[in-house]
Each structure stands twice: as structure tokens, then as C-alpha cells.
Amino acid sequence: MNGLLGYVSCAVLWLGLVVKSPDLIRHRRDPYLLTICAVLGLGGLCFLLGAPPTVGGVNRLSGIPNLAAPLTYAAITAYSAASQILVALWRGGPGVHRTTRRWVLAYAGVVLCIAVMFLLGDAPVERREDLDTYYATTPYLREMILLYLAGHLTAVTVTAFSALRWAREVRGPLRAGLITLGAGAVCGAGYSMSKLVAVGARWSGQDWPALGTDVAQAAAGLGALLTATGVLIPVAGPRLAEWRRAWRTYVRLAPLERELDDILTRRRLRLPRPRWSSPATRLVWRQTSIHNALSHLDAYVDRELYDETREAALRTSGDPERAAATAWAAVIAAAAGLCLTDPDERGREALGPASGRVRRPVHAGESEWFQERAPGPDALVRIADALATSPLVRRATAGVRAMTAERSSAV
């Protein structure tokens, strides 16, 4: 195995283990989490032990030529069993615990047999990459090699069959995870088959070293990447979907925050922007900033402007929710313009939707009306959309913008 390939594959799998470690610490007795971590940890251990620099280091430190081989084979066997147990736990059922115990006992026996065969065999020449083919005809070592390859091939075949068959019955992140895990198991089967074919060629007097090294290890590396991904997708999928929804909402609220930006800045109502935070945290920050600004506008609302814009939007779209969002967008934009031009920070007058005429003063009752009917988090998104797209909002706020310009020039 190429050392770099082995260490990169190990890092990929152990990175997944690091991601899952906090959950494992909180739920130490959860067999599902234990198995996920076992798959990731043992898979990484296989590549770490199989890398030629590690092989040389283990053999040198132990003083036993090729001791790294049975250690690697034992790790591969344990990894194979953990992968099959993971699929069984995903599927569940009344006999799942009995099935997992049988797999554990069977593969514990395989690991024990690997150790015994290595002790009985004779492997005096260190082989860091092609021990399988080099000792393919050596008594006891031959059986050890066949045993671990057969055990691995059996486990990955069952895993691939179970995962892909079950994937047809489920949907969502679990389906994607099962398909990816099944594909990783198929690649793992390619690893075992390549090794077995190379060993069989050695028995017939042929020598195909590239098949047992380059081809097999490429299949193993791809299988490790797909396996780690498949294991993590069902776990991370819901969280990623939540982050995606939060990010989309965060982006859609941008027009509303821009409309309120001057108020947030001049009145110092915006909280410090979070850095290196999740989309959900950013969304809460933007929603909080918007609500802070809206609470500052309650004295500047124009109820008549709301009613007139809502009626016009309702005639155009026929959708009550969309009409209400359009009306709120007009009221908020108009109130923001008035607030910025009011030296006393109190609303004195409001403008009509498009005429530019001066309306009556805003009374305390309208402030209470605004507070009672203030839009919630879901409505804020529709209001932001209306601000960005609705021509009614642009017409409704044209008069306020004209007055704002006149007041600014007068000052």
C-alpha cells in the first residue's frame, strides 16, 4: 500500500470518528453510536497498519518479521464485522441483538484463527506490500491469508446486499447513506477479489503483483471514503438540511434588513455580527436585528396605508397571506423613511400609498395595533420577498421617499 494513500484514507475515516465522538461521549451505551464509531475507527486502523512505513515500524519495534500482517488482518476482520453489524442495527427488528452477537462471535473466532495460523507459519522475510502473494503457498500462512480474505469478502458482500436492498424501501438521508455504504462495500469486495485472484495466480505459477497491491489498495481507498460518507450521511443529513433551510431563510431576509439598515445603524439596535457561526445562529442574529428595528418603528406606522395596500394586493394576487406581506412591507418601508427624518424620534405624519399626500398624525392606538399584529418569523420572509419584488410596495413608499429627500435637503 502506498503510504500516503493509507494515511489519507485513515485520516478521512478518523475525521468522521472525531465528528461522532461528542455524541458517543454523551451516549456511551448506545449500541448504534458504538458501532458507527467502531466502523470509522477500525477502518482507519486498517489503513494505518497497512501503510508500508507503519508495517516497517511495527516489525522493527516488535522484532518479529511481518507481525504487522496479522494485526492488519485482524483489524480488517473486525472492521468487516462492524460494518455488517451497523447495517443490522440500522434495520432493527426483534432479532437484531441475537444477530449481532452471532457476527461478533464468528469474527472473533476468525481473528483467533488468524493469530494461531501466523504463530504456526514461518514468515522470515519481511514483505511490506505483497505478503499475500509472496506467502500464498506457505503452509499455515496460506490458510491465514485465505481466512481473512474470505471473512472480509463475506462481510462486505452481505453488507452491500443488505444495504442496497434496504435502500429501496426507505427515503431521505437514510436511503442516500445506505446507497453510499453499499457502494463502499462493493469496492471492499473488489479489494478482496483482487487479492484472491492474485493469490490464485500465484498458486498456478503466475505472478500478478500489481493486482494484489495497486488495484486492491485503490479499491480499498475508495471503499473507505464511500463507507465513511455513507455512515455519516444519515447522521449529518438532517442537520445539514436544517442548516440549508436556515441559510435560505437568512438570505431571503436580506432585503428587509437592508431596508432597516439605517435605523439599525443610527439607533445602534443591531447586535454584533456573529463570526464563524452556523447558518442557524446567523439567522437568529438577523431575525433579532429586524425585530429590534421593528420595535423602534411602532410610533410611525400608518394603518390606512396598510389597509389600502393590502386591498390592492389582494385584488391583484387573490392570496391573503401574500397581500398581508405586501401591506406590511409598505408600512415598514414608509415608517423607516419617516423615522429617519423625524428629529424628535416620534411619528408626526404618514403618507398615502402613491399620492404623496399628508395624512393624519399617528396616534397611540396605531402603535398598539402595530404591536398586537406585528409579523412573526414566518411572515418576515414573505415581507422581505415583497420588498424585493412587489411594485405595489415601490408605489406605496414613493411618497415617503420624496418627503424624506425634501426634509434632507431642507436640513
Side-chain angles (χ1 to χ4, degrees):
M1 178 190 291
N2 178 274
L4 180 60
L5 175 62
Y7 293 139
V8 169
S9 301
C10 174
V12 169
L13 287 162
W14 282 0
L15 178 61
L17 179 61
V18 170
V19 171
K20 290 306 300 170
S21 294
D23 293 335
L24 180 63
I25 293 173
R26 290 192 296 267
H27 308 284
R28 296 182 180 87
R29 297 184 179 181
D30 188 335
Y32 172 62
L33 285 174
L34 286 171
T35 308
I36 288 179
C37 293
V39 170
L40 297 172
L42 290 171
L45 183 62
C46 293
F47 286 100
L48 177 65
L49 292 175
T54 306
V55 172
V58 171
N59 294 338
R60 183 175 61 256
L61 291 174
S62 65
I64 302 175
N66 300 308
L67 176 63
L71 295 179
T72 304
Y73 298 163
I76 290 174
T77 302
Y79 165 75
S80 305
S83 299
Q84 175 55 28
I85 291 172
L86 177 61
V87 176
L89 289 175
W90 270 353
R91 182 130 200 174
V96 63
H97 296 295
R98 182 172 62 253
T99 301
T100 56
R101 282 195 298 269
R102 288 176 179 175
W103 279 101
V104 170
L105 291 175
Y107 276 86
V110 173
V111 171
L112 179 61
C113 290
I114 288 173
V116 172
M117 295 297 176
F118 180 77
L119 292 174
L120 293 176
D122 184 22
V125 180
E126 183 186 51
R127 308 300 298 186
R128 296 190 179 186
E129 297 187 44
D130 62 346
L131 183 139
D132 308 83
T133 52
Y134 187 85
Y135 288 107
T137 58
T138 303
Y140 297 111
L141 296 181
R142 171 185 58 214
E143 286 76 12
M144 177 189 71
I145 294 167
L146 284 177
L147 184 61
Y148 103 84
L149 287 176
H152 179 262
L153 181 60
T154 300
V156 295
T157 300
V158 174
T159 300
F161 179 77
S162 301
L164 295 176
R165 183 181 64 179
W166 186 26
R168 296 184 298 179
E169 304 174 10
V170 295
R171 294 291 183 271
L174 180 57
R175 177 186 175 88
L178 287 170
I179 292 175
T180 308
L181 179 62
V186 171
C187 292
Y191 165 84
S192 298
M193 290 299 299
S194 300
K195 290 279 189 180
L196 286 171
V197 171
V199 169
R202 189 79 169 83
W203 290 346
S204 63
Q206 304 294 321
D207 189 12
W208 297 344
L211 187 62
T213 54
D214 297 339
V215 175
Q217 299 310 327
L222 180 59
L225 177 61
L226 292 174
T227 298
T229 305
V231 168
L232 294 176
I233 284 176
V235 178
R239 184 176 300 176
L240 291 176
E242 179 183 351
W243 283 3
R244 180 173 176 269
R245 288 192 297 269
W247 180 256
R248 290 182 62 185
T249 304
Y250 173 83
V251 171
R252 289 179 64 185
L253 286 175
L256 180 54
E257 187 189 10
R258 283 196 299 269
E259 187 69 35
L260 300 171
D261 184 68
D262 287 341
I263 294 174
L264 290 168
T265 301
R266 297 184 187 184
R267 312 303 187 206
R268 298 180 181 179
L269 300 173
R270 181 185 279 115
L271 298 175
R273 183 185 296 271
R275 296 184 178 181
W276 307 106
S277 55
S278 68
T281 302
R282 289 177 176 269
L283 174 60
V284 171
W285 169 81
R286 178 161 281 179
Q287 289 174 331
T288 302
S289 298
I290 290 172
H291 281 296
N292 288 345
L294 292 181
S295 66
H296 196 75
L297 295 178
D298 58 353
Y300 300 87
V301 296
D302 186 345
R303 183 171 178 177
E304 292 182 18
L305 173 62
Y306 175 89
D307 293 337
E308 291 180 15
T309 307
R310 182 179 180 279
E311 291 175 4
L314 191 59
R315 287 193 300 268
T316 303
S317 65
D319 184 348
E321 286 189 350
R322 185 176 177 183
T326 303
W328 275 121
V331 167
I332 290 171
L338 291 173
C339 175
L340 293 173
T341 58
D342 189 347
D344 298 328
E345 294 190 17
R346 292 191 54 83
R348 301 301 185 188
E349 55 191 12
L351 299 181
S355 63
R357 65 185 183 277
V358 177
R359 289 194 177 275
R360 54 171 175 70
V362 179
H363 300 292
E366 288 187 325
S367 176
E368 295 175 359
W369 172 86
F370 177 81
Q371 293 175 2
E372 292 174 357
R373 302 182 59 178
D378 294 337
L380 290 180
V381 176
R382 294 190 293 270
I383 294 171
D385 292 341
L387 276 169
T389 61
S390 175
L392 287 174
V393 175
R394 289 192 290 270
R395 288 199 299 269
T397 57
V400 172
R401 296 186 187 280
M403 174 173 283
T404 299
E406 291 177 4
R407 290 181 177 181
S408 298
S409 61
V411 173

